[in-house]
Amino acid sequence: MHQISLIPHRSLFELSKKHGPLMLLQLSSILTLVVSSPSTAREIMRTHDLIFASRPSLKAARILLYNNNDMAFAPYGEYWRQTRKICVTNLLSLKMIQSFSLVRMEEVSLMIKRIARMDSANNGVVCVSEILNTLTCDVLCKSILGDMIVAGTDTSLALLDWCMVELIRNPTVMEKVQSEVRGIAYGEEKVREEYLGKLSYMKAVIKEVLRLHPPVPLILPRESLQDCQIQEYNIPKKTRVLINAWAIGRDGHDFHYIPFGAGRRICPGIQFAIAIVELALANLVYRFNWKLPSGISSDGMDMEDSARITTPRKEKLYLVPLAI
Ligand code: HEM
């Protein structure tokens, strides 16, 4: 236990370098399987998808979510099946996501106006992290309610924040994204959703940020429903499983893209998240050139994640927007 820090995906990654990509740890009274390689993650989330489709009963979730009466932490069974069905066929269906297009556009336009108003105060410096937090909360609140807000805001915020951090640290990539977006939306006041399909370089950048900084680095815990064999090891029923997406994204040999999980418990909010992240990012880089506040260099930026289930950067991001 003492070897696991407040940023567990990083300490577990270090431990896996020493003990291998499949570790069975006794964490206090809980037997926990830690998975850090793409091939084993595939075995658990694809080959044995059903066996590992449950979630452990976590004390915090029991208290905060009225005895696990939500979807994300519900054990596998009839309640989860029904809730998930309602969610994917109604709340988060493609049709529903398209119907929120106006909400997204309005909120992104408000964000751009807010930044333009702010940039004359405070030596031109704005707190990008707070602006993005307001955006993701407002879009989620106006679109869907309930535990989706928690699942959706922190994660989309973390992704957008990391995108801006990586772009500011990689000016050549920022210029390429800007020239793609500005070329496609040339002459328009803002980037509209219909242009997003053409922004292939920006989409690739978002994917790369998801690989390096998955907003849920230790995919929500799973629990096995029966005994099972993973590689040559016998894994008993009710073993808790932590899949380290952060470590897997850094596996140079056999990279497996799982920032949203996989199998029957895969994140049902992927389209919802991508829609708002792409629209917000495209407009941020279309309308402004961004630079670091004076006296701060990109090399000196702290790249630590926060110690939470979802991991935006520990430090808030402050930047200077220059309207073009
Ligand atoms: C960048 C944004 C997001 C990321 C990276 C992300 C990631 C994840 C991950 C890793 C899981 C666990 C999957 C597994 O166990 O295999 C998950 C589950 C979930 N996500 Fe997301 N998520 C994001 C956005 C959203 C949004 C916008 C919503 C809703 C509007 C949402 C709703 C959920 C729900 C309800 C679950 C639980 C599914 C279940 O247990 O059946 N997520 N997400």
Side-chain angles (χ1 to χ4, degrees):
M1 276 295 262
H2 64 279
Q3 297 188 48
I4 298 175
S5 69
L6 286 174
I7 318 276
H9 55 278
R10 286 185 189 250
S11 348
L12 291 171
F13 179 47
E14 289 309 316
L15 274 182
S16 76
K17 284 190 201 158
K18 199 164 156 201
H19 300 291
L22 199 60
M23 300 182 288
L24 192 59
L25 306 180
Q26 186 74 45
L27 298 178
S28 73
S29 61
I30 298 158
L31 201 58
T32 306
L33 185 69
V34 181
V35 177
S36 314
S37 81
S39 58
T40 326
R42 198 175 301 125
E43 215 175 314
I44 286 175
M45 292 193 290
R46 297 235 191 265
T47 321
H48 299 295
D49 181 21
L50 179 57
I51 294 178
F52 291 97
S54 201
R55 302 248 190 245
S57 173
L58 304 176
K59 193 169 176 194
R62 278 201 306 276
I63 296 167
L64 292 172
L65 304 168
Y66 306 101
N67 210 17
N68 292 336
N69 262 331
D70 72 315
M71 188 206 320
F73 288 95
Y76 185 73
E78 200 44 37
Y79 173 78
W80 171 79
R81 239 191 315 273
Q82 290 300 333
T83 325
R84 174 124 189 160
K85 198 166 148 195
I86 296 169
C87 183
V88 292
T89 52
N90 297 294
L91 273 181
L92 292 174
S93 67
L94 202 57
K95 201 168 145 208
M96 207 59 158
I97 290 169
Q98 280 161 356
S99 76
F100 297 136
S101 167
L102 208 60
V103 172
R104 284 190 294 272
M105 200 65 247
E106 266 176 22
E107 290 303 323
V108 169
S109 301
L110 275 175
M111 173 184 73
I112 297 294
K113 281 189 193 141
R114 227 175 278 140
I115 299 173
R117 268 203 312 270
M118 279 172 170
D119 73 4
S120 52
N122 221 2
N123 289 335
V125 179
V126 301
C127 182
V128 176
S129 308
E130 267 163 29
I131 291 166
L132 296 177
N133 188 23
T134 310
L135 171 79
T136 48
C137 284
D138 288 355
V139 170
L140 260 290
C141 291
K142 288 189 179 167
S143 313
I144 38 184
L145 291 170
D147 66 336
M148 299 290 156
I149 294 182
V150 183
T153 45
D154 267 17
T155 46
S156 311
L157 164 65
L159 175 54
L160 267 169
D161 205 66
W162 278 116
C163 283
M164 289 300 285
V165 170
E166 288 294 2
L167 286 176
I168 210 76
R169 291 176 75 232
N170 296 282
T172 322
V173 179
M174 172 71 104
E175 271 167 35
K176 273 181 93 170
V177 175
Q178 281 178 322
S179 77
E180 180 183 65
V181 178
R182 288 172 187 174
I184 300 281
Y186 182 74
E188 301 275 351
E189 191 205 341
K190 54 195 163 201
V191 186
R192 287 184 274 118
E193 288 205 336
E194 11 337 353
Y195 298 142
L196 298 179
K198 296 183 184 152
L199 301 175
S200 46
Y201 185 74
M202 187 189 78
K203 282 172 190 282
V205 168
I206 295 173
K207 273 197 165 172
E208 180 64 354
V209 174
L210 273 167
R211 177 180 80 78
L212 288 172
H213 309 285
V216 191
L218 288 175
I219 295 217
L220 300 184
R222 304 286 191 92
E223 189 178 83
S224 56
L225 292 161
Q226 62 188 65
D227 295 350
C228 140
Q229 193 167 9
I230 298 292
Q231 296 181 348
E232 67 271 36
Y233 304 102
N234 293 321
I235 308 298
K237 180 180 170 176
K238 282 190 92 58
T239 299
R240 189 171 293 186
V241 182
L242 294 178
I243 294 169
N244 195 341
W246 191 88
I248 289 168
R250 283 169 162 72
D251 186 301
H253 308 293
D254 177 17
F255 163 60
H256 188 54
Y257 184 74
I258 49 159
F260 294 100
R264 63 191 73 202
R265 298 243 26 178
I266 193 172
C267 174
I270 303 178
Q271 270 82 18
F272 191 99
I274 293 298
I276 183 59
V277 169
E278 287 183 356
L279 189 67
L281 190 62
N283 278 284
L284 284 171
V285 301
Y286 180 66
R287 291 292 301 272
F288 303 100
N289 287 330
W290 294 90
K291 67 181 187 74
L292 283 163
S294 64
I296 298 184
S297 79
S298 59
D299 295 342
M301 287 172 86
D302 184 348
M303 295 297 277
E304 274 289 286
D305 342 70
S306 353
R308 303 212 311 247
I309 294 180
T310 53
T311 49
R313 204 171 61 106
K314 197 164 129 201
E315 302 282 320
K316 284 192 173 156
L317 177 65
Y318 290 89
L319 294 177
V320 180
L322 304 167
I324 58 154

